[in-house]
Every structure is written in C-alpha cells, then in structure tokens.
Amino acid sequence: MSMETTAWTQLHSVMNAQTETRPFARATLRRIGAFARPHRTRIAQFVVLGVATALLAVATPVLAGHVVDAIVTGDDEGTVVRLALLIALIAVAEAALGILGRRLSATLGEGLILDLRTAVFDHVQRMPVAFFTRTRTGALVSRLNNDVIGAQRAFSNTLSGVVSNLVTLLLTLAVMLTLSWQITLLALALLPVFVIPARRMGSRMARMQREAAALNAAMGTRMTERFSAPGATLVKLFGRPEQESEEFAARARRVADIGVRTATAQSVFITALTLVSALALALVYGLGGWFALRGTLEPGAVVSLALLLTRLYAPLTALAGARVEVMSALVSFERVFEVLDLKPLIEEKEDAREVGEGPVAVEFDAVRFGYPSADKVSLASLEEVASLDTRGGEEVLKGISFRAEPGQTVALVGSSGAGKSTIAQLLPRLYDVDEGAVRVGEEDIRDLTARSLRETIGMVTQDGHLFHDTVRANLLLARPTATEDELWDALRRSRLDDLVRSLPDGLDTVVGERGYRLSGGERQRMTIARLLLARQRVVILDEATAHLDNTSEAAVQEALTEALEGRTAIVIAHRLSTIRAADQILVVEAGQIVERGTHDELLAAGGRYAELHRTQFEERDPAKVGRDIDQKDTKLDSIIATI
C-alpha cells in the first residue's frame, strides 16, 4: 500500500466515523457476541486469512532486498531468478488470498446485515400503531440501512483490519530492527508528522461532511414533500414557484460550497502527507546509503527498509484510527439495539387460541382506554426531538359497553374526537384496553392469536390506502392464494371490474403512490374488494364514505351492501343517512355511550341523535339554504345603502 493510499484510507475512516466516546456496557458487547456467534467459523477463517496476508506482505520487501544483494555481490543468475519467481509466487498468493478475503468479508458482512435487518424489521412490525404515528419514517429506515451497515463494518472491516495490521506492524518492526535499529527509530520518530495531521484534518472534514449530509437530508425531505402527489398539488395551489426555487437553490449552493471546501482540504491534506512520506523515503535512502557506503549496511537492506517503511506507516496509521472505527461501530450497534429494546405493547400469549368457526358476535365490556405516552412507544432519536413528550394516558373511553350479535350492524355516531375511531381500533387489537375486555366470538381478543384475528376482522378506513404496486398485488395482500377468477369476482362485487379491464395492463397496472392514480371512490372500492377477497366475518367501516361525492358515495355504498351481507359490522358514519337501517345505533360523546337504539327510537327520544340528525339535514334542506341566502342578500343591501 502506497503512502498516498494510506493517507486516503485514514482520512476516509476518520471522516466517516462517529465521534461519540461514551462508555459501553458489557451487555452491549455480549449482545454483539450473540449476533456474531452464528458466524464464528467465518470470523476465525477471516482472522487466519488476515494473518497469512500480513506475513506475505512483509516477505516481499525482504526478498527484494536479497535480489539487490545478489546483484551487487555478483551471485549466479539462478539465485536471482529463484528469488524473482518466489516474489512472483507470493504476489499470486497475495492476490488469491485478497480475493478469498474479500469473499469472506462480503459473506460475513452481508450475513450480519441480513440478521440485523431481519431482527429490526420483524421487531418493528410488532410495534403498536402509536409507534408509527410518532416516528419519522426516514429515521426508522436509517436504522435499517446506515446503522446496520455501520455495525456490519465492525466485522467485515475493523476486525480484520486490527488483526492484520497488528500482525503486519509487529513483523515489520521486527524485520526493520534486525536490518537497522537506527533507521527504524528514525522512521518511528516521523510517525507523528504523518498521523497527527490525519487526525486533525479528518475531524475537521468530518464536521464538513456531517454538515453536508444534514443539508442533503433537508433537501431530500423538501423534495419528498414537494414531489409527492399531495405536496405537488399544494405547491401548485398555494406555493410560489420562484420562492421555492430560490430556497432550494440556496440549500444546494451551501452543499456546493462545502463540496469545494472539502475537496480543497482533501487535496492539501493528501499532498502534505505524500510530501512527508517522500521526505521519509529520501531520509531512509540517504541514511541507509551512507551506512551502506561505510560498509555497515548491505545495499539490499536499504531497499528492504524503504519498502518496509510503507508497510510500517500503513498499519500504524490504521491502528491509530482503529479506536474511532470501533467506537463508531459500537454506536451503530447501540442504535440498532435501541430499537430492538423497545418493547411492543401488544404481545401474543403462548397459549393463544383461534377464533371459533361460524358467525361471531362482538362485545365491548366496560372498556376503558387512554392512548400511551410517547416514552412507552417511541424513541426521541426516532422522532428527532431532544426529549419525548411525556403527556398521554388520559382516558379516551370511559366504560364503553355494547354487543353486536352475529350478522348485526352496529353504528357509532357522535362528535369528532368523541372516541368512535378509538373503539374501531381496539377491536382488531391495534391497541390493548386498559380496563374491561373486548370479545370476539365470546373470547377476549387478548387470548386469541394475531393471525386468527386478522382472518376474522376486516377494516375499511376513510383514506383507502394502497401501496405503490399493481392492482393485483394490492388485492393479494388480503389473500395471497387467491385465484384470477376470485380477484375478478371481488372486483365485480365492488363495482370495479369494468374500470380495471379498461386500464392499460389490467390487473398488472400500477396504481401509484398511495393509489393516487385512482379517484377517491375507486380507491375505496379497491379496499372493499380487498375486504371481499379476505372473507372476514367481522367488518369495521371507519367513515368509509366521508370524503366522497354523491356519485362515488352511491357506488361505494352499493359495494358496501355486498360486503356487509351476512357479516357482523361496526360502522362509524358521519352521514347519518347511511346508517338508518343499522340494527343498533350508539351515540358516543366524550368517550361514553350517551344514547342507544334504532334510528326511529332515537329520533323519537329527541336526544343527542335527534339533534345531530336535525342539524345535518337542516343544512341540506334547500328551502332553508334559500332563506339563508335571502337573509344574507338583505344584509348586503342594507350595508350598501349605508355606504
């Protein structure tokens, strides 16, 4: 490895290392050992390979010196040829070991990445919905990418580097001291001139790189927000393109300025260190040549010392930065373990049972619930805040009790924020109740398996979320084993088959991010098709038609009628006209059921439901709208007359 390559390597490691120096618990090291244990055979092979490579690296300069001595002393040609062949064989062996080492490094590193990513991904999937409502997606994805890769480097780079560099250093020092202890000590005295600038310049450039990374992340966030369908629409409606362009250009200009400063600093740094190494080599040749002319040192030894000098500085420089690399890897491990240590609020019991066969009833029995505080479900680093919000735990539901018999439809109505959607989220066990019980088929849902709950309970929300994938993939999410005929049957029953047949690629047409290539009503019918395909026995409709126009609402209602047939249903509705035929209507206010009964019974009672009904339908009464307009016109005329 040349001096210039060594300088670049050291600079890169210092720039990219994290600078935290806090102590690490033994428990962290034990957990790292647990992840490394399945790979211990490859780790051992990797270490042995590193030692072998180090031995060969030191052998070549020594043999080169013997070649020079053989030439100077006029030895026979056979000796020179044999030494040259031996050097060539060592070069071939080094190349082969290098390829084998790279393969082992990749296998070990990628195997560790696979284990860590799988562990984090599986753990995150078990987290409650509250975790995802608080966490920044980018920060979470970073744990699966940057931090996992940082942890992987501890094995694929740092471990092998420390071992091979240590062996190379010891062997090189031993050989150099044998050849000339004076030149060796002089070379060691020059080491601080080589290492200290690398450390200082590396730290400075690391700060510039972190600043550039932060600015790039800010630009990335801005582009992600502006380039999404809702963001682009908002900018076109309310944004100012010139200002948007100026703000983006200002951020990009700062990144460009840092890039120029970084490139200049790198050039100065590498040039300086290359100059130092050239001066060191000149010193070795000068002092060694002087010793050789005086007869106290063989000419071949001078050449060997010059070649060994690069083998000395490279491992010394690398080992000087090894602590930073190790600490960086440990920080990455801790950040990964930080996510793995977040305990899911919802755990499946070991003896959990399946939901029984046939139609099932749904029951809420004196349910009390408050959303968990942030410290129970999140991390400050994932929310990108200094400290977590400690608020939370206030009761949202206060003793909710009702029962939906098999095949019945129970509707929930009430003011916004009354707790209707919270009730809907408790049924599929997106959260666990604080007190009371939620039962499906006479069984507490906490005693049931998550798989059987998913197969029993389906939900259609008001946003109709779809993945950026094909129509087919979005439907198969509900039942991966569904046949082509079953897919088309679900689309037909949800009144979407004609639309999908008209798409350019039919079932294989990509619907776009969040399904934005479809209209709101089409997205809702896609989620209903998914529900029909899943054949779940309990259906939750959380304001499924809240944001649709009359035409789309009519199509969705037609599809919902098909979807609800023979199923137990919990329906949350803002438009009271959609739940007139419900078997039971519950009026929820401030986390309590204040009224219950059928549509006619509640109207006759003249309570909160009747008030909601009167308010909603008076707003839609054309006669009242006309009277309001006349009154406004009269007021406007009087104002104009006054003026």
Side-chain angles (χ1 to χ4, degrees):
M1 184 184 293
S2 67
M3 289 290 192
E4 187 172 352
T5 304
T6 301
W8 275 110
T9 303
Q10 171 64 9
L11 181 63
H12 180 269
S13 65
V14 174
M15 282 177 62
N16 290 281
Q18 301 182 52
T19 56
E20 296 186 49
T21 56
R22 52 192 175 145
F24 290 88
R26 290 184 179 180
T28 300
L29 298 177
R30 283 196 296 270
R31 292 180 70 176
I32 295 173
F35 271 99
R37 195 169 296 119
H39 307 279
R40 57 184 178 275
T41 302
R42 287 196 180 96
I43 292 174
Q45 293 171 345
F46 201 32
V47 171
V48 170
L49 202 63
V51 173
T53 303
L55 288 170
L56 294 177
V58 175
T60 300
V62 175
L63 291 174
H66 289 326
V67 170
V68 173
D69 287 338
I71 294 171
V72 171
T73 58
D75 211 336
D76 63 279
E77 295 88 344
T79 302
V80 174
V81 171
R82 283 193 298 273
L83 287 170
L85 286 174
L86 186 56
I87 291 173
L89 287 174
I90 289 175
V92 172
E94 274 192 285
L97 289 179
I99 294 172
L100 183 58
R102 185 69 190 95
R103 179 174 177 80
L104 269 176
S105 171
T107 304
L108 177 61
E110 295 300 328
L112 185 70
I113 283 179
L114 175 63
D115 293 345
L116 283 173
R117 278 184 176 156
T118 303
V120 174
F121 185 85
D122 291 346
H123 185 76
V124 168
Q125 283 200 112
R126 295 167 52 214
M127 298 304 293
V129 174
F131 171 80
F132 298 98
T133 60
R134 304 194 66 93
T135 299
R136 286 198 66 177
T137 305
L140 187 57
V141 171
S142 176
R143 299 295 170 100
L144 279 166
N145 289 329
N146 300 340
D147 289 315
V148 168
I149 291 173
Q152 170 256 342
R153 279 199 299 263
F155 290 90
S156 60
N157 293 347
T158 306
L159 175 65
S160 63
V162 168
V163 172
S164 62
N165 285 323
L166 188 60
V167 173
T168 302
L169 176 64
L170 293 175
L171 286 174
T172 302
L173 276 175
V175 174
M176 289 184 70
L177 287 170
T178 302
L179 294 174
S180 173
W181 63 268
Q182 298 97 329
I183 294 177
T184 303
L185 291 179
L186 185 61
L188 291 174
L190 289 174
L191 181 66
V193 180
F194 192 80
V195 173
I196 292 174
R199 300 288 296 169
R200 290 185 176 177
M201 185 65 74
S203 299
R204 178 186 169 190
M205 294 178 69
R207 288 193 297 271
M208 287 192 288
Q209 183 155 307
R210 283 193 293 272
E211 184 179 352
L215 288 169
N216 276 314
M219 281 197 302
T221 300
R222 192 175 187 85
M223 285 188 288
T224 300
E225 289 178 343
R226 266 66 177 176
F227 292 170
S228 65
T233 303
L234 188 63
V235 169
K236 288 182 181 299
L237 290 175
F238 298 104
R240 294 177 294 279
E242 297 80 7
Q243 184 177 342
E244 291 282 335
S245 179
E246 288 174 5
E247 290 179 1
F248 182 83
R251 293 171 187 265
R253 198 174 297 112
R254 290 179 64 189
V255 173
D257 291 342
I258 291 174
V260 172
R261 296 202 328 259
T262 302
T264 304
Q266 285 178 346
S267 179
V268 171
F269 172 75
I270 296 302
T271 301
L273 289 189
T274 303
L275 178 61
V276 170
S277 65
L279 294 174
L281 280 174
L283 190 60
V284 168
Y285 281 126
L287 186 59
W290 186 72
F291 283 143
L293 291 173
R294 294 189 61 184
T296 58
L297 190 65
E298 296 295 330
V302 177
V303 175
S304 294
L305 284 167
L307 293 174
L308 286 168
L309 184 65
T310 61
R311 312 283 177 160
L312 177 68
Y313 279 170
L316 272 173
T317 305
L319 288 172
R323 180 177 176 275
V324 176
E325 293 181 22
V326 170
M327 294 296 287
S328 178
L330 288 175
V331 168
S332 294
F333 268 112
E334 278 213 336
R335 285 168 61 83
V336 172
F337 293 151
E338 190 179 31
V339 176
L340 293 176
D341 287 339
L342 258 180
K343 292 184 178 179
L345 294 181
I346 299 173
E347 295 281 5
E348 185 176 299
K349 293 182 178 179
E350 292 183 5
D351 58 346
R353 299 183 293 274
E354 302 287 318
V355 179
E357 297 293 330
V360 293
V362 169
E363 182 180 10
F364 276 63
D365 183 8
V367 167
R368 292 183 174 274
F369 172 76
Y371 286 102
S373 56
D375 58 327
K376 294 182 180 178
V377 296
S378 185
L379 296 169
S381 57
L382 290 179
E383 293 189 24
E384 298 185 0
V385 295
S387 59
L388 288 171
D389 188 353
T390 58
R391 293 173 298 176
E394 297 87 358
E395 270 196 342
V396 177
L397 301 181
K398 305 168 184 177
I400 297 292
S401 295
F402 69 89
R403 181 179 176 87
E405 297 295 342
Q408 281 191 342
T409 296
V410 172
L412 305 177
V413 300
S415 306
S416 297
K420 305 184 297 298
S421 293
T422 303
I423 294 173
Q425 291 174 334
L426 291 178
L427 183 53
R429 208 186 175 195
L430 299 182
Y431 296 92
D432 268 344
V433 301
D434 297 329
E435 293 181 28
V438 178
R439 299 187 182 91
V440 172
E442 314 305 331
E443 295 279 359
D444 191 316
I445 60 173
R446 290 169 291 192
D447 298 327
L448 298 171
T449 64
R451 182 184 59 80
S452 68
L453 270 179
R454 286 195 301 270
E455 292 175 352
T456 303
I457 302 171
M459 189 170 185
V460 177
T461 58
Q462 55 184 296
D463 62 351
H465 188 84
L466 300 174
F467 290 127
H468 182 77
D469 210 329
T470 61
V471 172
R472 185 192 306 276
N474 274 285
L475 291 177
L476 290 178
L477 186 67
R479 190 153 59 92
T481 58
T483 64
E484 190 95 353
D485 289 341
E486 288 172 330
L487 293 178
W488 283 112
D489 180 63
L491 289 171
R492 178 187 59 77
R493 295 166 64 194
S494 61
R495 312 304 187 264
L496 268 179
D497 54 329
D498 289 339
L499 169 72
V500 175
R501 291 184 198 279
S502 69
L503 295 175
D505 297 312
L507 286 170
D508 296 314
T509 302
V510 175
V511 299
E513 186 178 4
R514 299 180 65 182
Y516 270 111
R517 294 179 190 173
L518 303 177
S519 70
E522 290 163 353
R523 287 199 300 272
Q524 284 298 69
R525 279 179 279 164
M526 275 285 289
T527 61
I528 293 169
R530 200 157 52 192
L531 187 74
L532 289 167
L533 202 61
R535 299 174 184 170
Q536 291 145 319
R537 290 169 283 168
V538 178
V539 175
I540 304 167
L541 303 178
D542 188 357
E543 300 200 32
T545 62
H547 304 307
L548 303 181
D549 57 46
N550 292 334
T551 304
S552 297
E553 182 184 3
V556 171
Q557 284 291 355
E558 198 174 337
L560 286 174
T561 301
E562 183 98 18
L564 296 180
E565 188 175 350
R567 291 175 168 87
T568 307
I570 306 296
V571 180
I572 299 173
H574 172 70
R575 299 181 184 178
L576 302 185
S577 59
T578 62
I579 48 94
R580 289 177 184 237
D583 297 288
Q584 185 179 191
I585 298 173
L586 308 177
V587 182
V588 182
E589 293 293 345
Q592 295 177 305
I593 297 175
V594 296
E595 288 182 319
R596 66 181 73 207
T598 64
H599 172 75
D600 292 335
E601 290 171 348
L602 292 173
L603 279 183
R608 176 59 177 157
Y609 181 82
E611 181 184 347
L612 291 170
H613 187 273
R614 183 171 57 254
T615 302
Q616 190 169 118
F617 283 91
E618 278 184 358
E619 288 175 355
R620 297 184 180 182
D621 183 4
K624 183 179 184 299
V625 172
R627 288 195 302 271
D628 289 343
I629 292 173
D630 289 341
Q631 290 174 1
K632 289 177 182 177
D633 287 344
T634 302
K635 289 181 180 178
L636 182 60
D637 289 341
S638 64
I639 293 171
I640 292 172
T642 303
I643 294 173

